[in-house]
Amino acid sequence: MAIETMTVEAAQAMAVGYKAIGAGLAVGLAGVGTGLGEMGIGAAAVGATAEDRDMFGLALLFTVLPETIVIFGLVIALLLLF
């Protein structure tokens, strides 16, 4: 569709669609990045906890830290949509 022939309604619909795509990418890519980050952290945390039970709290903290990235992605998505 050429820019010259686009109506206002079509332009607004495209803008809403682009915002939805951006919001989906923000959450999706943040989730993929978090999953890749937790892949190594989770294995190391389980190994450290198996060797020393006192490491459970620290291992849990290191496992939860990458989850904040998904929360940031969700906040960005909500800002885009609303």
Side-chain angles (χ1 to χ4, degrees), residues 27 29-42 45 58-73:
V27 174
L29 293 176
V32 168
T34 298
L36 290 174
E38 283 189 10
M39 181 173 54
I41 295 171
L58 188 62
L60 183 65
L61 177 68
F62 285 146
T63 305
V64 172
L65 277 177
E67 291 293 329
T68 59
I69 297 170
V70 174
I71 294 171
F72 292 149

Side-chain angles (χ1 to χ4, degrees), residues 5 7 10 13-14 16-17 20 28-29 31 33 40 42 46-48 50 56 59 71 75-76 79-81:
T5 61
T7 64
M14 283 183 60
V16 170
L29 293 176
V46 168
F56 177 74
I71 294 171
V75 167
I76 296 297
L79 287 174
L80 281 173
L81 291 177

